Amino acid sequence: MKSTALARLLQGITKPSHDKRPSIETFADIDTDRLAAELNLAGRGRERGGNEEPATSSETMDSIETQIIERIEAAKKAAHATIEDELRTYAERLAALDFEDRFTQIQHTAPAAVGDFKLEARGGRDDLYALRRNLRDLDAEQQAFRRKHKIDRTARVHGGAATFLKVALLIVMFVVEAFANGNFLAKGSEQGLLGGVTEAISFAALNIFGTFIIGHFGVKQIAHNSVFRKGLGVLAFCFYVAFALGLNLALAHYRDVSAQFLEGGGERVMQVMATTPFQLRDLNSWLFFGLGLMFSVVALIDSLTFSDAYPGYAEVQHRLEAARDAYRDRRAELDENLKDVRDEYQDRMQDISSDLSLRRGEYEAIIANRARMLKLFSQHQDHLERAANTLIGFYREANAKARKTPPPARFASPFSLAKVSVEANTEGEWSLRDLRSRIEQIQAMLTAEVKEIHTAYQTTMDEYQQLDDVVPEPGMGDGSKQA
């Protein structure tokens, strides 16, 4: 089927909306035991505690605590970069879904698809009407022919097999006679074997195909209602009798002469035909004459039965049947094509409707995953704060145990992480409720368009049937029959 707006829309929606795999990456937790060992917090805490560092009056974090905070802040920055990347990815995927543009395309192309279907149906109906009108005219021509020539019988026309057999019979007789003639004529031909074969083919063609032409176009006129045409048929029959007798007698005399003389056979045949045409020298010559005349008579009968006996009747019937076959074939072709187009449009609209449902599911999954990602990031910041206090606690505890002086009062205060507030940019996004409602509207429209295509299809089938009702099927009244 040709490319349509609906096909192009379907090609567009079947392309993936992004080039990334949907995935949710969790943020890696801090392994406090490993990091504490890596920074040697217990050892360094005891060392600095033994040196009474930091001082009891210290109000700011020392280098060890600062190093711990720096590691935590680095983890927070990495997590923040990850969440920002993920949010950009989700935003790109949401933008690629582009529901608004998709809805607009569907609203324009779905009705256009119905219009394309109706246009194609209308074109087929016009073609069928022209063929039906031609069929009606040929049917009227046949009825007029029958009335004019007072024919009250069906036309006798042959099918392909019968016609093939009749033509094959002519060809077989031609080959047999040409072969038989060649053996005799080669002896008396001045050109030898080649000349004899040429003469044999010429005699056989005249005897077989010449007879067929005389019979089909001439003798058949005897069956005509016109007295003048009957007279032409009688004259043609008389001519055929003279032609068949003369040609085959001349060929038989040529055999006689060729057996006695090597040169001048043609002149001697003309002399004998003028004086004693029916005096043949031996039995073989009479057999030769009889064989040729029999082939000629068979060719005449074949020409008279090749089609209907009444001149011109078979030709009228053939034209009518050709028009009937053309109409039936075109009708069947249009029925099948229109059904295919209907089914294809229906399948495409169903694919578009299914695609909207899939996209809605993807949209909801993206929104849910994005919310989960934001929650995970918030939870990860809480984890980082706990990890920082755990690591600082390792250091302070070791430091306090090694000291002789009281630890700084700030050791009793927990560390508070400055958390990053991250929100998704929801500007221009559909709410899930509104999106579901809009997709349901579009899908309802697609369902209505499919129903309209089915209605248009049924209407077209009814119109095709009306053509049959207005012009009855030719052949119902003509009673044509194949032999």
Side-chain angles (χ1 to χ4, degrees):
M1 192 179 99
K2 63 182 182 179
S3 177
T4 62
L6 185 62
R8 292 191 294 272
L9 173 62
L10 185 58
Q11 291 172 2
I13 67 174
T14 53
K15 293 181 180 178
S17 59
H18 56 82
D19 57 357
K20 300 177 177 62
R21 278 184 169 179
S23 63
I24 297 297
E25 296 185 3
T26 57
F27 302 97
D29 289 343
I30 298 295
D31 187 344
T32 54
D33 291 336
R34 184 187 63 80
L35 185 55
E38 178 184 338
L39 297 177
N40 190 21
L41 296 179
R44 295 167 73 184
R46 286 192 299 269
E47 180 182 354
R48 287 179 62 80
N51 296 330
E52 302 299 330
E53 294 176 342
T56 303
S57 60
S58 171
E59 295 182 356
T60 58
M61 290 186 176
D62 65 7
S63 60
I64 306 303
E65 293 171 311
T66 301
Q67 187 179 11
I68 294 172
I69 300 305
E70 287 176 351
R71 296 293 290 267
I72 296 299
E73 287 291 339
K76 184 183 73 173
K77 288 181 180 179
H80 183 236
T82 299
I83 189 63
E84 290 293 342
D85 288 342
E86 289 295 327
L87 290 178
R88 279 194 295 272
T89 300
Y90 286 131
E92 290 172 0
R93 292 174 59 187
L94 289 173
L97 292 174
D98 196 7
F99 282 102
E100 193 61 48
D101 181 62
R102 193 72 62 197
F103 294 152
T104 301
Q105 290 184 37
I106 293 173
Q107 286 177 314
H108 284 86
T109 56
V114 176
D116 291 343
F117 180 86
K118 290 181 178 180
L119 184 62
E120 186 158 350
R122 188 180 304 114
R125 181 187 59 201
D126 293 342
D127 289 347
L128 205 59
Y129 177 77
L131 290 172
R132 193 70 182 186
R133 183 173 56 187
N134 180 55
L135 180 58
R136 179 193 59 194
D137 294 342
L138 288 173
D139 182 58
E141 178 185 349
Q142 189 219 40
Q143 298 302 323
F145 186 93
R146 294 179 63 171
R147 288 192 299 270
K148 178 180 178 181
H149 298 279
K150 300 178 181 178
I151 300 176
D152 57 359
R153 60 176 178 80
T154 60
R156 295 176 178 85
V157 294
H158 300 294
T163 301
F164 173 79
L165 289 176
K166 288 182 175 295
V167 174
L169 176 62
L170 292 176
I171 294 175
V172 169
M173 290 192 300
F174 167 75
V175 172
V176 171
E177 184 169 1
F179 178 78
N181 292 347
N183 288 331
F184 293 115
L185 297 180
K187 299 177 182 179
S189 175
E190 297 177 358
Q191 287 81 28
L193 180 62
L194 180 61
V197 171
T198 303
E199 291 175 352
I201 292 176
S202 300
F203 273 115
L206 283 173
N207 195 44
I208 302 301
F209 300 119
T211 296
F212 184 87
I213 292 173
I214 295 170
H216 188 72
F217 296 101
V219 178
K220 192 181 252 191
Q221 301 299 320
I222 294 176
H224 204 282
N225 287 336
S226 169
V227 176
F228 175 73
R229 298 280 287 272
K230 284 181 180 291
L232 291 178
V234 172
L235 290 177
F237 180 74
C238 294
F239 174 77
Y240 160 72
V241 173
F243 171 80
L245 290 175
L247 181 65
N248 286 284
L249 280 172
L251 194 58
H253 281 296
Y254 195 87
R255 178 190 177 281
D256 279 347
V257 171
S258 65
Q260 299 179 8
F261 303 97
L262 296 178
E263 297 182 358
E267 295 180 0
R268 294 181 181 275
V269 168
M270 296 300 294
Q271 294 173 2
V272 173
M273 287 293 294
T275 56
T276 57
F278 293 100
Q279 292 184 5
L280 297 175
R281 293 182 179 275
D282 59 32
L283 181 61
N284 286 337
S285 296
W286 280 107
L287 291 175
F288 199 61
F289 166 73
L291 179 64
L293 189 61
M294 181 186 70
F295 281 173
S296 177
V297 171
V298 172
L300 177 66
I301 295 173
D302 194 53
S303 70
L304 296 178
T305 60
F306 194 79
S307 61
D308 192 89
Y310 196 90
Y313 194 18
E315 287 75 9
V316 172
Q317 183 63 39
H318 280 309
R319 289 200 303 273
L320 177 61
E321 291 184 351
R324 180 192 295 119
D325 291 341
Y327 175 80
R328 287 175 175 171
D329 292 345
R330 183 57 176 158
R331 169 68 185 273
E333 180 184 1
L334 287 174
D335 288 353
E336 187 66 25
N337 288 347
L338 209 56
K339 182 179 178 182
D340 291 342
V341 172
R342 179 201 65 184
D343 293 343
E344 184 170 357
Y345 277 156
Q346 176 178 321
D347 292 342
R348 287 181 174 179
M349 288 190 179
Q350 288 176 347
D351 290 342
I352 293 171
S353 179
S354 299
D355 177 78
L356 287 177
S357 296
L358 291 174
R359 287 175 180 272
R360 184 191 67 190
E362 183 177 0
Y363 185 90
E364 293 175 351
I366 292 172
I367 297 298
N369 289 338
R370 185 179 65 183
R372 182 184 174 191
M373 181 64 71
L374 290 170
K375 184 177 180 180
L376 286 173
F377 177 70
S378 177
Q379 292 173 349
H380 184 64
Q381 291 191 98
D382 293 339
H383 162 73
L384 291 177
E385 186 177 67
R386 289 192 301 272
N389 282 300
T390 299
L391 293 169
I392 292 173
F394 287 159
Y395 168 73
R396 289 178 175 175
E397 182 179 358
N399 184 281
K401 287 180 178 180
R403 297 174 70 94
K404 294 179 180 180
T405 60
R410 60 180 180 81
F411 273 24
S413 300
F415 168 75
S416 179
L417 180 68
K419 297 179 180 179
V420 180
S421 177
V422 177
E423 294 183 356
N425 183 9
T426 60
E427 182 180 357
E429 292 183 6
W430 288 81
S431 70
L432 295 181
R433 180 178 179 181
D434 290 343
L435 182 60
R436 290 194 192 98
S437 176
R438 185 66 173 136
I439 288 178
E440 288 173 357
Q441 292 176 7
I442 295 297
Q443 289 176 332
M445 183 198 73
L446 290 172
T447 301
E449 298 296 345
V450 169
K451 290 181 180 179
E452 187 172 352
I453 286 178
H454 277 273
T455 301
Y457 172 80
Q458 190 56 51
T459 299
T460 302
M461 293 298 101
D462 292 341
E463 290 174 350
Y464 289 174
Q465 185 59 47
Q466 288 174 4
L467 286 176
D468 295 342
D469 295 339
V470 171
V471 186
E473 175 68 19
M476 303 292 280
D478 61 34
S480 61
K481 150 174 128 171
Q482 287 191 349

